[in-house]
Amino acid sequence: MTRRLPALLLAPVLAGCSVGDVRRDPPVRTAAPPATSAGARPGPAEVTETRAAQVAVGKGYDPPFVEFVDVALGYALFASCGERPAGRDCPALLYATTDGGRTWRKLRHPRPVAKGQQMYTASGLLTLWSEPHGWWTSIDGGGTFRHTPGEKEPAEWRATLGRFQIDQETDRVGRWEGHGLRPLPVQPELPALNTVTERHGVLVAAGARDGRAYAAISTDQGRSWRTTDVPAPDGAVELVWARNAPDGDLWLVGDRGDRRSFPALWRWADGWQAVRAEGHPERAHSVVPLGGGLLATNGPGGAGVVVEGRYEYLPWPVADVHNLVMLADGGLAAVAPDEVLLGVGRHAERRWVKVVLVAG
């Protein structure tokens, strides 16, 4: 299913990757991953459990879009049949699971016939976009929905993106106040800005210009900002994102111009420190801080982790087709067109479960 993302939603999944207190130094020691020596690739690991559930879906539907909020709660949207959008002969179907994909129950889709269907989830929120009829949001797991007409994202969804956000029209940092953004009177003095996020009262803003990365922090709710030095990257970067691990370990990730090459990395350790990753692959399309000083990526060679200046391949059953996502409870999801892998555990120690929906 092709997803047409509104401009506000084009950024990486940062709502679930909040920024830790940058005043706190990271742990002195890092958690070593269960991997082989740098550059070597371990054999493929097996999933420990396969949860295949049959759902009442007629013939002709495309594979669903599946999204998990945590390792227990997930949603599945069947939204098209080949070249046909969700019409009267192919209405959108919505399902939910609360037991990690073992069982699924059908939900009432509030607008099943539309030119385009999309789904977004966050902790405590399910949001549906039915083009051109508008948005439907639920705060009770899909039991009831509230309609928001037009293309403007509903207030409930905007609230999940954090108290502090970038106004897409002005490129200024604002505070979300229930129904709109109020620009901060003092803005970070950066030559470019493409992300801002906050946790425990500490704001981090970052961006890139002319191949360099820039960042600033605020410890007083944006009333003042301190520009922080970011060492020059090894190769140019086009965008920079602040990413936070479940334990508060803070990283900057510098996307290359092609969006595929292995990114530039910095980690907060009483200031931004460039992070080396000796032996890393050329490409990486997922970047997820795991905590314990580890940062996982995924690419053509499978999954691996950056640890203590080197890159280690991980024995995870994750392939190039998967996209790694950190969930609200610290679990991992590896999402592919025909399956979802749930990684239960912490840091690089994960037990993997395969979730498959079978139409019938």
Side-chain angles (χ1 to χ4, degrees):
M1 175 180 61
T2 301
R3 308 180 76 202
R4 183 195 62 80
L5 297 180
L8 181 65
L9 305 181
L10 289 176
V13 187
L14 296 180
C17 302
S18 54
V19 172
D21 190 337
V22 296
R23 295 166 295 183
R24 180 184 58 80
D25 289 342
V28 175
R29 297 189 62 186
T30 55
T36 58
S37 59
R41 302 187 186 188
E46 298 291 334
V47 297
T48 59
E49 180 185 356
T50 297
R51 300 169 183 169
Q54 186 171 358
V55 292
V57 175
K59 295 182 179 180
Y61 277 86
D62 293 333
F65 177 76
V66 181
E67 189 164 305
F68 276 82
V69 178
D70 53 43
V71 296
L73 176 62
Y75 299 95
L77 175 67
F78 292 82
S80 60
C81 300
E83 298 297 325
R84 294 175 294 154
R88 297 190 181 280
D89 61 340
C90 178
L93 303 174
L94 184 63
Y95 286 85
T97 179
T98 57
D99 57 9
R102 294 180 180 87
T103 61
W104 296 79
R105 77 181 192 280
K106 188 175 182 179
L107 302 177
R108 183 190 66 84
H109 194 295
R111 188 73 191 208
V113 178
K115 293 181 179 179
Q117 300 278 3
Q118 296 168 42
M119 177 179 70
Y120 308 95
T121 66
S123 183
L125 187 70
L126 169 63
T127 301
L128 303 173
W129 162 253
S130 295
E131 186 181 4
H133 308 293
W135 301 83
W136 278 263
T137 54
S138 174
I139 59 174
D140 59 5
T144 59
F145 287 88
R146 187 182 76 86
H147 181 218
T148 303
E151 292 198 8
K152 187 176 180 180
E153 299 86 354
E156 294 93 337
W157 173 259
R158 290 292 299 270
T160 68
L161 303 181
R163 288 194 303 163
F164 296 91
Q165 303 173 23
I166 296 177
D167 188 319
Q168 300 298 303
E169 297 181 357
T170 65
D171 291 331
R172 292 170 60 85
V173 180
R175 181 197 294 267
W176 179 253
E177 297 188 344
H179 296 282
L181 280 175
R182 174 176 293 182
L184 297 180
V186 178
Q187 295 290 312
E189 296 183 1
L190 300 175
L193 179 66
N194 61 255
T195 184
V196 62
T197 189
E198 175 261 350
R199 189 183 183 190
H200 302 320
V202 177
L203 289 170
V204 176
R209 174 169 291 180
D210 298 328
R212 289 291 305 270
Y214 300 89
I217 66 170
S218 173
T219 58
D220 57 8
Q221 303 294 297
R223 289 187 291 272
S224 64
W225 293 85
R226 175 168 64 89
T227 301
T228 54
D229 180 63
V230 182
D234 180 12
V237 297
E238 187 170 297
L239 295 172
V240 175
W241 306 103
R243 306 296 299 271
N244 188 69
D247 64 357
D249 197 13
L250 181 63
W251 298 73
L252 292 180
V253 178
D255 283 351
R256 310 296 185 178
D258 60 6
R259 302 292 195 276
R260 292 179 176 270
S261 298
F262 197 86
L265 300 171
W266 300 266
R267 185 180 175 213
W268 183 266
D270 198 24
W272 295 113
Q273 307 293 326
V275 176
R276 297 174 60 84
E278 294 290 342
H280 71 74
E282 293 184 1
R283 290 174 51 196
H285 59 72
S286 301
V287 179
V288 180
L290 299 176
L294 307 177
L295 181 140
T297 74
N298 186 42
V305 68
V306 177
V307 53
E308 297 180 346
R310 66 187 188 278
Y311 188 88
E312 302 278 7
Y313 284 94
L314 290 168
W316 289 356
V318 177
D320 190 25
V321 296
H322 293 99
N323 183 54
L324 286 173
V325 180
M326 179 64 70
L327 302 179
D329 59 356
L332 283 176
V335 184
D338 58 350
E339 67 178 16
V340 174
L341 304 178
L342 296 177
V344 182
R346 65 192 299 264
H347 300 161
E349 296 282 355
R350 301 281 170 166
R351 178 178 63 86
W352 291 94
V353 174
K354 178 188 291 188
V355 178
V356 180
L357 275 76
V358 180

